[in-house]
Amino acid sequence: MFHEIINKEEDLSKEEIVYLLKFSDKNELHFLYQRADEIRRQFCGDGIHLRGILDFSNYCEQNCLYCSLREENISLERYRMTPEQIIEVVRAASAQGIRTIILQSGKDTYYDTDVIAYILYQIKQSTDLAVTLSLGPRGFDEYKAWKMAGADRYLLKHETANSELFTYFTDGLIRGNERIQHLRFLKRLGFQTGTGSIIGLPNQTIEDIADDLVLSRELDVDMAVFSPFIPSAFTPLQNMQICNFDEAIKTIAVARIVLKNCHLPAVTGLDILNKAGREIALKSGANVLMPNFTPEPFLTKKRLQNFSNKRYPDYTSPQHEISVKLERLGRFLSIDRGDSLKKSHLVK
Ligand code: SAM
């Protein structure tokens, strides 16, 4: 049954996905990772895409229970970068060879439609970068304006496909998962879209994680980010249990088998659970790394958001050093923008 499911050509059912996520036979589990790696090679090749993240503001108008940026976290030292600072960092990242930048913040409407459009326009005039926005749920008219100003992609994780849990984790303020509607709208506008969820949230079941994978497949996203739950300091969930590493890796492997031609990052949080976390993920289905390009002093403030405040190899070092690291895994640093692998986006 196990081998039949991992080798199946057709879409897996939810029950089959649950079966794989629950599979724990130590003598057989490596076949799951091998199969995910094979599918990754078949659909994505051996290139690894770097997507530089710039966390330009940690102000947030939302109150998600798991997130250190939540508005009620008065212990967090807040910062905002100016448009000029943002544009300068992005140009420097481009000069270093980065092909995609993710502009990320809390939900911070201080950066209104025009300011974000101005930043996009300036970046697009002076670099050939793909620009991803990760600004949380914003107005539909804003999405339209930003697409016209040159944004290529929008990353909006649905966080959990379980709508009761979603309402609970968003502090009861949001009924139903509005993010799903936003993702559908973004796709219609021609954005390459990214979704994903947090793995190991309190009270989340394996069935919920299977629903996350089914939803990501149904939304036909170009990237899916599955990150382990890491309890953040000064949040209501700070004393909850951290995600189990094996569960996080298994989710990425099963996601590859389910989603096939979709970019799947090995997120930095995996290195908190296991020193070789991201490398293991890259060997189990992942094909993207997201190094952080947030400059000092903002980066230190960002790191202090977590209990750990550890430093991890951030893959922001010169490109040849990264290439050497990746060659050891039998992979190479991709020099293309890492656009959508879906046909609908390739035919332009
Ligand atoms: N404001 C934007 C949004 O809401 O989509 C982007 C910024 S938000 C900080 C980026 C992501 O961090 C969220 O989508 C969430 O999945 C993740 N995140 C927040 N707290 C987390 C935690 N404690 N453990 C794991 N991931 C977390």
Side-chain angles (χ1 to χ4, degrees), residues 55 57 59-60 62 64-69 103-108 133-137 154-159 179 196-199 201 225 227-233 235 237 269 302 305-306:
D55 289 292
S57 158
Y59 279 82
C60 190
Q62 301 198 293
C64 306
L65 301 192
Y66 45 75
C67 189
S68 57
L69 306 192
L103 299 179
Q104 182 161 269
S105 66
K107 182 173 180 181
D108 185 5
L133 296 177
S134 172
L135 315 178
Y154 207 100
L155 172 60
L156 187 67
K157 291 171 68 180
H158 65 265
E159 313 294 9
R179 288 172 175 244
S197 60
I198 306 179
I199 305 304
L201 283 166
V225 186
S227 23
F229 169 63
I230 317 264
S232 290
T235 65
L237 304 185
K302 188 191 144 41
Q305 287 163 204
N306 292 325

mmCIF file of all heavy atoms in Angstrom, residues 55 57 59-60 62 64-69 103-108 133-137 154-159 179 196-199 201 225 227-233 235 237 269 302 305-306, ligand 1:
data_model
loop_
_atom_site.group_PDB
_atom_site.id
_atom_site.type_symbol
_atom_site.label_atom_id
_atom_site.label_comp_id
_atom_site.label_asym_id
_atom_site.label_seq_id
_atom_site.Cartn_x
_atom_site.Cartn_y
_atom_site.Cartn_z
ATOM 1 N N ASP A 55 12.644 41.953 5.524
ATOM 2 C CA ASP A 55 11.582 42.272 6.499
ATOM 3 C C ASP A 55 11.667 43.770 6.774
ATOM 4 O O ASP A 55 12.410 44.198 7.662
ATOM 5 C CB ASP A 55 11.804 41.475 7.787
ATOM 6 C CG ASP A 55 11.510 39.997 7.610
ATOM 7 O OD1 ASP A 55 10.343 39.638 7.412
ATOM 8 O OD2 ASP A 55 12.470 39.192 7.651
ATOM 9 N N SER A 57 9.375 46.012 7.787
ATOM 10 C CA SER A 57 8.634 46.594 8.923
ATOM 11 C C SER A 57 8.125 45.461 9.786
ATOM 12 O O SER A 57 7.639 44.445 9.263
ATOM 13 C CB SER A 57 7.443 47.410 8.414
ATOM 14 O OG SER A 57 6.469 47.549 9.440
ATOM 15 N N TYR A 59 5.866 46.228 12.247
ATOM 16 C CA TYR A 59 4.582 46.683 12.790
ATOM 17 C C TYR A 59 3.490 45.798 12.218
ATOM 18 O O TYR A 59 3.578 45.374 11.059
ATOM 19 C CB TYR A 59 4.302 48.134 12.376
ATOM 20 C CG TYR A 59 5.030 49.143 13.242
ATOM 21 C CD1 TYR A 59 6.364 49.449 12.995
ATOM 22 C CD2 TYR A 59 4.384 49.789 14.295
ATOM 23 C CE1 TYR A 59 7.043 50.366 13.787
ATOM 24 C CE2 TYR A 59 5.057 50.711 15.085
ATOM 25 C CZ TYR A 59 6.377 50.993 14.833
ATOM 26 O OH TYR A 59 7.045 51.890 15.612
ATOM 27 N N CYS A 60 2.454 45.523 13.022
ATOM 28 C CA CYS A 60 1.354 44.704 12.504
ATOM 29 C C CYS A 60 0.039 45.094 13.157
ATOM 30 O O CYS A 60 -0.009 45.362 14.360
ATOM 31 C CB CYS A 60 1.628 43.214 12.738
ATOM 32 S SG CYS A 60 0.438 42.174 11.852
ATOM 33 N N GLN A 62 -2.523 43.063 13.044
ATOM 34 C CA GLN A 62 -3.249 41.842 13.371
ATOM 35 C C GLN A 62 -2.783 41.297 14.713
ATOM 36 O O GLN A 62 -1.805 41.794 15.292
ATOM 37 C CB GLN A 62 -3.047 40.820 12.254
ATOM 38 C CG GLN A 62 -3.550 41.382 10.923
ATOM 39 C CD GLN A 62 -3.789 40.305 9.896
ATOM 40 O OE1 GLN A 62 -2.865 39.662 9.441
ATOM 41 N NE2 GLN A 62 -5.037 40.117 9.535
ATOM 42 N N CYS A 64 -2.458 37.657 15.522
ATOM 43 C CA CYS A 64 -2.365 36.193 15.448
ATOM 44 C C CYS A 64 -1.649 35.667 16.699
ATOM 45 O O CYS A 64 -0.569 36.168 17.059
ATOM 46 C CB CYS A 64 -1.642 35.771 14.177
ATOM 47 S SG CYS A 64 -2.392 36.495 12.712
ATOM 48 N N LEU A 65 -2.246 34.656 17.330
ATOM 49 C CA LEU A 65 -1.750 34.207 18.630
ATOM 50 C C LEU A 65 -0.318 33.687 18.577
ATOM 51 O O LEU A 65 0.410 33.756 19.544
ATOM 52 C CB LEU A 65 -2.645 33.096 19.197
ATOM 53 C CG LEU A 65 -4.126 33.383 19.426
ATOM 54 C CD1 LEU A 65 -4.757 32.271 20.247
ATOM 55 C CD2 LEU A 65 -4.341 34.718 20.124
ATOM 56 N N TYR A 66 0.073 33.125 17.418
ATOM 57 C CA TYR A 66 1.397 32.495 17.316
ATOM 58 C C TYR A 66 2.504 33.482 16.952
ATOM 59 O O TYR A 66 3.671 33.159 17.027
ATOM 60 C CB TYR A 66 1.371 31.368 16.259
ATOM 61 C CG TYR A 66 0.658 31.755 14.984
ATOM 62 C CD1 TYR A 66 1.251 32.599 14.064
ATOM 63 C CD2 TYR A 66 -0.625 31.294 14.720
ATOM 64 C CE1 TYR A 66 0.582 32.973 12.909
ATOM 65 C CE2 TYR A 66 -1.297 31.668 13.566
ATOM 66 C CZ TYR A 66 -0.689 32.511 12.671
ATOM 67 O OH TYR A 66 -1.337 32.895 11.525
ATOM 68 N N CYS A 67 2.130 34.687 16.536
ATOM 69 C CA CYS A 67 3.123 35.548 15.868
ATOM 70 C C CYS A 67 3.649 36.649 16.766
ATOM 71 O O CYS A 67 2.888 37.376 17.417
ATOM 72 C CB CYS A 67 2.476 36.168 14.625
ATOM 73 S SG CYS A 67 3.671 37.027 13.599
ATOM 74 N N SER A 68 4.966 36.800 16.766
ATOM 75 C CA SER A 68 5.590 37.809 17.633
ATOM 76 C C SER A 68 5.285 39.233 17.173
ATOM 77 O O SER A 68 5.413 40.172 17.937
ATOM 78 C CB SER A 68 7.100 37.590 17.680
ATOM 79 O OG SER A 68 7.599 37.641 16.367
ATOM 80 N N LEU A 69 4.876 39.379 15.902
ATOM 81 C CA LEU A 69 4.578 40.726 15.409
ATOM 82 C C LEU A 69 3.204 41.216 15.865
ATOM 83 O O LEU A 69 2.855 42.369 15.637
ATOM 84 C CB LEU A 69 4.620 40.770 13.871
ATOM 85 C CG LEU A 69 5.865 40.277 13.145
ATOM 86 C CD1 LEU A 69 5.800 40.677 11.676
ATOM 87 C CD2 LEU A 69 7.118 40.826 13.774
ATOM 88 N N LEU A 103 9.464 41.214 -0.412
ATOM 89 C CA LEU A 103 9.276 42.370 0.476
ATOM 90 C C LEU A 103 8.229 41.969 1.506
ATOM 91 O O LEU A 103 7.062 41.758 1.165
ATOM 92 C CB LEU A 103 8.801 43.589 -0.311
ATOM 93 C CG LEU A 103 9.745 44.104 -1.407
ATOM 94 C CD1 LEU A 103 9.119 45.300 -2.120
ATOM 95 C CD2 LEU A 103 11.108 44.484 -0.830
ATOM 96 N N GLN A 104 8.661 41.842 2.770
ATOM 97 C CA GLN A 104 7.773 41.298 3.795
ATOM 98 C C GLN A 104 7.607 42.266 4.967
ATOM 99 O O GLN A 104 8.560 42.941 5.358
ATOM 100 C CB GLN A 104 8.328 39.964 4.291
ATOM 101 C CG GLN A 104 7.458 39.275 5.338
ATOM 102 C CD GLN A 104 7.769 37.798 5.452
ATOM 103 O OE1 GLN A 104 7.164 36.963 4.775
ATOM 104 N NE2 GLN A 104 8.708 37.467 6.322
ATOM 105 N N SER A 105 6.406 42.290 5.532
ATOM 106 C CA SER A 105 6.156 43.106 6.724
ATOM 107 C C SER A 105 4.976 42.507 7.471
ATOM 108 O O SER A 105 4.316 41.588 6.974
ATOM 109 C CB SER A 105 5.801 44.537 6.310
ATOM 110 O OG SER A 105 4.571 44.545 5.632
ATOM 111 N N GLY A 106 4.693 43.028 8.663
ATOM 112 C CA GLY A 106 3.413 42.725 9.291
ATOM 113 C C GLY A 106 2.341 43.394 8.439
ATOM 114 O O GLY A 106 2.652 44.057 7.438
ATOM 115 N N LYS A 107 1.085 43.247 8.831
ATOM 116 C CA LYS A 107 0.067 44.006 8.091
ATOM 117 C C LYS A 107 0.193 45.457 8.562
ATOM 118 O O LYS A 107 -0.223 45.806 9.666
ATOM 119 C CB LYS A 107 -1.328 43.451 8.370
ATOM 120 C CG LYS A 107 -2.363 44.209 7.558
ATOM 121 C CD LYS A 107 -3.725 43.603 7.659
ATOM 122 C CE LYS A 107 -4.702 44.415 6.830
ATOM 123 N NZ LYS A 107 -6.042 43.896 6.907
ATOM 124 N N ASP A 108 0.836 46.274 7.739
ATOM 125 C CA ASP A 108 1.224 47.627 8.161
ATOM 126 C C ASP A 108 0.768 48.627 7.097
ATOM 127 O O ASP A 108 1.501 48.909 6.142
ATOM 128 C CB ASP A 108 2.746 47.668 8.349
ATOM 129 C CG ASP A 108 3.205 48.996 8.913
ATOM 130 O OD1 ASP A 108 2.338 49.837 9.253
ATOM 131 O OD2 ASP A 108 4.433 49.206 9.026
ATOM 132 N N LEU A 133 5.500 40.179 -3.008
ATOM 133 C CA LEU A 133 5.001 40.927 -1.849
ATOM 134 C C LEU A 133 4.480 39.933 -0.815
ATOM 135 O O LEU A 133 3.799 38.964 -1.169
ATOM 136 C CB LEU A 133 3.885 41.880 -2.262
ATOM 137 C CG LEU A 133 4.269 43.000 -3.232
ATOM 138 C CD1 LEU A 133 3.035 43.818 -3.617
ATOM 139 C CD2 LEU A 133 5.355 43.909 -2.632
ATOM 140 N N SER A 134 4.790 40.186 0.450
ATOM 141 C CA SER A 134 4.261 39.371 1.543
ATOM 142 C C SER A 134 3.860 40.337 2.650
ATOM 143 O O SER A 134 4.583 40.546 3.621
ATOM 144 C CB SER A 134 5.337 38.380 2.021
ATOM 145 O OG SER A 134 4.923 37.711 3.188
ATOM 146 N N LEU A 135 2.701 40.974 2.429
ATOM 147 C CA LEU A 135 2.274 42.087 3.286
ATOM 148 C C LEU A 135 1.018 41.741 4.068
ATOM 149 O O LEU A 135 0.400 42.626 4.653
ATOM 150 C CB LEU A 135 1.999 43.338 2.423
ATOM 151 C CG LEU A 135 3.035 43.701 1.339
ATOM 152 C CD1 LEU A 135 2.584 44.925 0.566
ATOM 153 C CD2 LEU A 135 4.393 43.958 1.974
ATOM 154 N N GLY A 136 0.632 40.456 4.046
ATOM 155 C CA GLY A 136 -0.613 40.077 4.699
ATOM 156 C C GLY A 136 -1.793 40.393 3.797
ATOM 157 O O GLY A 136 -1.623 40.856 2.670
ATOM 158 N N PRO A 137 -3.024 40.163 4.295
ATOM 159 C CA PRO A 137 -4.202 40.447 3.477
ATOM 160 C C PRO A 137 -4.429 41.951 3.357
ATOM 161 O O PRO A 137 -4.503 42.641 4.367
ATOM 162 C CB PRO A 137 -5.356 39.788 4.246
ATOM 163 C CG PRO A 137 -4.837 39.529 5.623
ATOM 164 C CD PRO A 137 -3.353 39.582 5.613
ATOM 165 N N TYR A 154 2.729 37.169 -5.081
ATOM 166 C CA TYR A 154 2.205 37.511 -3.759
ATOM 167 C C TYR A 154 2.218 36.246 -2.908
ATOM 168 O O TYR A 154 1.720 35.199 -3.318
ATOM 169 C CB TYR A 154 0.787 38.075 -3.846
ATOM 170 C CG TYR A 154 0.485 39.018 -2.690
ATOM 171 C CD1 TYR A 154 0.554 40.398 -2.850
ATOM 172 C CD2 TYR A 154 0.167 38.530 -1.413
ATOM 173 C CE1 TYR A 154 0.297 41.267 -1.794
ATOM 174 C CE2 TYR A 154 -0.087 39.393 -0.349
ATOM 175 C CZ TYR A 154 -0.020 40.760 -0.551
ATOM 176 O OH TYR A 154 -0.260 41.628 0.506
ATOM 177 N N LEU A 155 2.833 36.372 -1.746
ATOM 178 C CA LEU A 155 2.900 35.248 -0.803
ATOM 179 C C LEU A 155 1.951 35.535 0.357
ATOM 180 O O LEU A 155 2.091 36.552 1.041
ATOM 181 C CB LEU A 155 4.342 35.107 -0.289
ATOM 182 C CG LEU A 155 4.593 34.115 0.851
ATOM 183 C CD1 LEU A 155 4.211 32.695 0.456
ATOM 184 C CD2 LEU A 155 6.073 34.161 1.270
ATOM 185 N N LEU A 156 0.967 34.682 0.521
ATOM 186 C CA LEU A 156 -0.026 34.859 1.581
ATOM 187 C C LEU A 156 -0.369 33.477 2.117
ATOM 188 O O LEU A 156 -1.226 32.777 1.558
ATOM 189 C CB LEU A 156 -1.277 35.539 0.995
ATOM 190 C CG LEU A 156 -2.366 35.956 1.975
ATOM 191 C CD1 LEU A 156 -1.893 37.076 2.900
ATOM 192 C CD2 LEU A 156 -3.610 36.423 1.213
ATOM 193 N N LYS A 157 0.326 33.065 3.166
ATOM 194 C CA LYS A 157 0.066 31.716 3.669
ATOM 195 C C LYS A 157 -1.352 31.637 4.229
ATOM 196 O O LYS A 157 -1.801 32.561 4.900
ATOM 197 C CB LYS A 157 1.095 31.368 4.747
ATOM 198 C CG LYS A 157 2.499 31.185 4.175
ATOM 199 C CD LYS A 157 3.540 31.067 5.261
ATOM 200 C CE LYS A 157 3.394 29.791 6.055
ATOM 201 N NZ LYS A 157 4.434 29.716 7.126
ATOM 202 N N HIS A 158 -2.046 30.523 3.939
ATOM 203 C CA HIS A 158 -3.393 30.403 4.517
ATOM 204 C C HIS A 158 -3.295 30.010 5.990
ATOM 205 O O HIS A 158 -4.266 30.033 6.711
ATOM 206 C CB HIS A 158 -4.253 29.421 3.697
ATOM 207 C CG HIS A 158 -3.768 28.011 3.721
ATOM 208 N ND1 HIS A 158 -2.948 27.479 2.750
ATOM 209 C CD2 HIS A 158 -3.973 27.014 4.614
ATOM 210 C CE1 HIS A 158 -2.690 26.216 3.042
ATOM 211 N NE2 HIS A 158 -3.286 25.912 4.173
ATOM 212 N N GLU A 159 -2.123 29.636 6.449
ATOM 213 C CA GLU A 159 -1.754 29.351 7.854
ATOM 214 C C GLU A 159 -2.323 28.036 8.380
ATOM 215 O O GLU A 159 -1.605 27.234 8.941
ATOM 216 C CB GLU A 159 -2.121 30.489 8.821
ATOM 217 C CG GLU A 159 -1.726 31.897 8.356
ATOM 218 C CD GLU A 159 -0.229 32.147 8.271
ATOM 219 O OE1 GLU A 159 0.570 31.215 8.405
ATOM 220 O OE2 GLU A 159 0.152 33.316 8.032
ATOM 221 N N ARG A 179 -8.070 34.633 3.752
ATOM 222 C CA ARG A 179 -6.862 34.542 2.929
ATOM 223 C C ARG A 179 -7.097 33.696 1.676
ATOM 224 O O ARG A 179 -6.480 33.939 0.643
ATOM 225 C CB ARG A 179 -5.704 33.966 3.754
ATOM 226 C CG ARG A 179 -5.197 34.963 4.781
ATOM 227 C CD ARG A 179 -4.178 34.378 5.742
ATOM 228 N NE ARG A 179 -3.669 35.434 6.602
ATOM 229 C CZ ARG A 179 -2.401 35.862 6.627
ATOM 230 N NH1 ARG A 179 -1.495 35.274 5.883
ATOM 231 N NH2 ARG A 179 -2.034 36.844 7.420
ATOM 232 N N GLY A 196 0.614 28.354 2.039
ATOM 233 C CA GLY A 196 1.327 27.451 2.938
ATOM 234 C C GLY A 196 0.731 27.531 4.325
ATOM 235 O O GLY A 196 -0.215 28.282 4.565
ATOM 236 N N SER A 197 1.291 26.726 5.219
ATOM 237 C CA SER A 197 0.722 26.672 6.568
ATOM 238 C C SER A 197 1.829 26.494 7.595
ATOM 239 O O SER A 197 2.991 26.283 7.249
ATOM 240 C CB SER A 197 -0.285 25.523 6.651
ATOM 241 O OG SER A 197 0.368 24.303 6.375
ATOM 242 N N ILE A 198 1.410 26.585 8.848
ATOM 243 C CA ILE A 198 2.342 26.345 9.954
ATOM 244 C C ILE A 198 2.106 24.912 10.424
ATOM 245 O O ILE A 198 0.952 24.505 10.623
ATOM 246 C CB ILE A 198 2.105 27.346 11.104
ATOM 247 C CG1 ILE A 198 2.171 28.785 10.580
ATOM 248 C CG2 ILE A 198 3.121 27.129 12.218
ATOM 249 C CD1 ILE A 198 1.923 29.841 11.647
ATOM 250 N N ILE A 199 3.185 24.170 10.581
ATOM 251 C CA ILE A 199 3.071 22.753 10.950
ATOM 252 C C ILE A 199 3.387 22.587 12.439
ATOM 253 O O ILE A 199 4.418 23.093 12.911
ATOM 254 C CB ILE A 199 4.070 21.896 10.115
ATOM 255 C CG1 ILE A 199 3.851 22.130 8.616
ATOM 256 C CG2 ILE A 199 3.956 20.410 10.455
ATOM 257 C CD1 ILE A 199 2.441 21.862 8.128
ATOM 258 N N LEU A 201 1.094 23.359 14.973
ATOM 259 C CA LEU A 201 0.345 24.304 15.828
ATOM 260 C C LEU A 201 -0.403 23.523 16.913
ATOM 261 O O LEU A 201 -0.844 22.389 16.669
ATOM 262 C CB LEU A 201 -0.683 25.057 14.973
ATOM 263 C CG LEU A 201 -0.155 26.185 14.087
ATOM 264 C CD1 LEU A 201 -1.215 26.587 13.064
ATOM 265 C CD2 LEU A 201 0.275 27.392 14.925
ATOM 266 N N VAL A 225 4.730 27.213 1.253
ATOM 267 C CA VAL A 225 5.695 27.310 2.355
ATOM 268 C C VAL A 225 5.125 26.598 3.584
ATOM 269 O O VAL A 225 4.119 27.035 4.141
ATOM 270 C CB VAL A 225 5.948 28.800 2.717
ATOM 271 C CG1 VAL A 225 7.054 28.908 3.765
ATOM 272 C CG2 VAL A 225 6.275 29.629 1.484
ATOM 273 N N SER A 227 6.095 25.819 7.214
ATOM 274 C CA SER A 227 7.122 26.112 8.221
ATOM 275 C C SER A 227 6.729 25.530 9.567
ATOM 276 O O SER A 227 5.539 25.499 9.916
ATOM 277 C CB SER A 227 7.369 27.616 8.339
ATOM 278 O OG SER A 227 6.277 28.347 7.893
ATOM 279 N N PRO A 228 7.744 25.066 10.316
ATOM 280 C CA PRO A 228 7.442 24.471 11.622
ATOM 281 C C PRO A 228 7.003 25.535 12.615
ATOM 282 O O PRO A 228 7.502 26.666 12.577
ATOM 283 C CB PRO A 228 8.788 23.872 12.040
ATOM 284 C CG PRO A 228 9.829 24.666 11.309
ATOM 285 C CD PRO A 228 9.183 25.088 10.013
ATOM 286 N N PHE A 229 6.078 25.173 13.488
ATOM 287 C CA PHE A 229 5.667 26.098 14.548
ATOM 288 C C PHE A 229 6.810 26.248 15.553
ATOM 289 O O PHE A 229 7.298 25.266 16.107
ATOM 290 C CB PHE A 229 4.413 25.558 15.257
ATOM 291 C CG PHE A 229 4.089 26.296 16.518
ATOM 292 C CD1 PHE A 229 3.756 27.646 16.484
ATOM 293 C CD2 PHE A 229 4.130 25.658 17.763
ATOM 294 C CE1 PHE A 229 3.465 28.355 17.647
ATOM 295 C CE2 PHE A 229 3.833 26.353 18.930
ATOM 296 C CZ PHE A 229 3.504 27.696 18.868
ATOM 297 N N ILE A 230 7.238 27.496 15.742
ATOM 298 C CA ILE A 230 8.274 27.794 16.740
ATOM 299 C C ILE A 230 7.633 28.778 17.721
ATOM 300 O O ILE A 230 7.282 29.896 17.314
ATOM 301 C CB ILE A 230 9.501 28.508 16.087
ATOM 302 C CG1 ILE A 230 9.884 27.874 14.749
ATOM 303 C CG2 ILE A 230 10.640 28.666 17.071
ATOM 304 C CD1 ILE A 230 10.964 26.867 14.746
ATOM 305 N N PRO A 231 7.439 28.371 18.979
ATOM 306 C CA PRO A 231 6.794 29.293 19.914
ATOM 307 C C PRO A 231 7.596 30.592 20.019
ATOM 308 O O PRO A 231 8.816 30.551 20.165
ATOM 309 C CB PRO A 231 6.828 28.534 21.249
ATOM 310 C CG PRO A 231 7.127 27.125 20.900
ATOM 311 C CD PRO A 231 7.858 27.112 19.601
ATOM 312 N N SER A 232 6.905 31.721 19.866
ATOM 313 C CA SER A 232 7.598 33.008 19.916
ATOM 314 C C SER A 232 7.422 33.648 21.286
ATOM 315 O O SER A 232 6.344 33.537 21.899
ATOM 316 C CB SER A 232 7.002 33.968 18.888
ATOM 317 O OG SER A 232 7.336 33.550 17.601
ATOM 318 N N ALA A 233 8.460 34.334 21.711
ATOM 319 C CA ALA A 233 8.433 35.018 23.008
ATOM 320 C C ALA A 233 7.311 36.053 23.029
ATOM 321 O O ALA A 233 6.991 36.646 22.000
ATOM 322 C CB ALA A 233 9.770 35.704 23.247
ATOM 323 N N THR A 235 4.147 35.850 23.246
ATOM 324 C CA THR A 235 2.879 35.568 22.569
ATOM 325 C C THR A 235 2.086 34.604 23.469
ATOM 326 O O THR A 235 2.683 33.916 24.312
ATOM 327 C CB THR A 235 3.084 34.884 21.198
ATOM 328 O OG1 THR A 235 3.667 33.590 21.406
ATOM 329 C CG2 THR A 235 3.963 35.705 20.284
ATOM 330 N N LEU A 237 1.115 31.822 22.884
ATOM 331 C CA LEU A 237 1.515 30.426 22.650
ATOM 332 C C LEU A 237 2.981 30.177 23.018
ATOM 333 O O LEU A 237 3.551 29.157 22.642
ATOM 334 C CB LEU A 237 1.279 30.042 21.179
ATOM 335 C CG LEU A 237 -0.133 30.232 20.625
ATOM 336 C CD1 LEU A 237 -0.222 29.682 19.194
ATOM 337 C CD2 LEU A 237 -1.185 29.553 21.495
ATOM 338 N N GLY A 269 13.522 28.192 9.793
ATOM 339 C CA GLY A 269 13.041 27.629 11.055
ATOM 340 C C GLY A 269 13.436 26.167 11.234
ATOM 341 O O GLY A 269 13.601 25.684 12.357
ATOM 342 N N LYS A 302 14.801 41.837 14.600
ATOM 343 C CA LYS A 302 13.963 40.749 14.106
ATOM 344 C C LYS A 302 14.317 39.440 14.811
ATOM 345 O O LYS A 302 13.454 38.706 15.247
ATOM 346 C CB LYS A 302 14.154 40.600 12.596
ATOM 347 C CG LYS A 302 13.193 39.623 11.982
ATOM 348 C CD LYS A 302 13.520 39.268 10.573
ATOM 349 C CE LYS A 302 13.204 37.820 10.274
ATOM 350 N NZ LYS A 302 11.965 37.294 10.820
ATOM 351 N N GLN A 305 12.968 38.611 18.188
ATOM 352 C CA GLN A 305 11.572 38.219 18.288
ATOM 353 C C GLN A 305 11.439 36.769 18.770
ATOM 354 O O GLN A 305 10.444 36.397 19.347
ATOM 355 C CB GLN A 305 10.903 38.311 16.902
ATOM 356 C CG GLN A 305 10.660 39.733 16.471
ATOM 357 C CD GLN A 305 10.386 39.851 14.975
ATOM 358 O OE1 GLN A 305 10.598 40.894 14.413
ATOM 359 N NE2 GLN A 305 9.935 38.792 14.338
ATOM 360 N N ASN A 306 12.456 35.952 18.463
ATOM 361 C CA ASN A 306 12.398 34.549 18.866
ATOM 362 C C ASN A 306 13.163 34.347 20.160
ATOM 363 O O ASN A 306 14.026 35.121 20.502
ATOM 364 C CB ASN A 306 13.029 33.655 17.787
ATOM 365 C CG ASN A 306 12.185 33.652 16.539
ATOM 366 O OD1 ASN A 306 10.974 33.723 16.627
ATOM 367 N ND2 ASN A 306 12.826 33.598 15.396
HETATM 368 N N1 SAM B 1 2.166 39.859 7.574
HETATM 369 C C1 SAM B 1 2.333 38.900 6.558
HETATM 370 C C2 SAM B 1 1.267 37.844 6.693
HETATM 371 O O1 SAM B 1 0.495 37.886 7.648
HETATM 372 O O2 SAM B 1 1.162 37.007 5.792
HETATM 373 C C3 SAM B 1 3.718 38.305 6.467
HETATM 374 C C4 SAM B 1 4.563 38.328 7.703
HETATM 375 S S1 SAM B 1 4.252 36.985 8.795
HETATM 376 C C5 SAM B 1 5.303 37.336 10.148
HETATM 377 C C6 SAM B 1 5.097 35.685 7.950
HETATM 378 C C7 SAM B 1 4.741 34.293 8.377
HETATM 379 O O3 SAM B 1 5.342 33.986 9.618
HETATM 380 C C8 SAM B 1 3.293 33.981 8.586
HETATM 381 O O4 SAM B 1 2.671 33.692 7.371
HETATM 382 C C9 SAM B 1 3.334 32.775 9.529
HETATM 383 O O5 SAM B 1 3.096 31.576 8.822
HETATM 384 C C10 SAM B 1 4.767 32.776 10.036
HETATM 385 N N2 SAM B 1 4.822 32.683 11.516
HETATM 386 C C11 SAM B 1 4.472 33.618 12.407
HETATM 387 N N3 SAM B 1 4.652 33.165 13.657
HETATM 388 C C12 SAM B 1 5.137 31.901 13.547
HETATM 389 C C13 SAM B 1 5.528 30.910 14.492
HETATM 390 N N4 SAM B 1 5.446 31.132 15.802
HETATM 391 N N5 SAM B 1 5.992 29.727 14.034
HETATM 392 C C14 SAM B 1 6.076 29.508 12.691
HETATM 393 N N6 SAM B 1 5.721 30.402 11.753
HETATM 394 C C15 SAM B 1 5.253 31.587 12.181
#
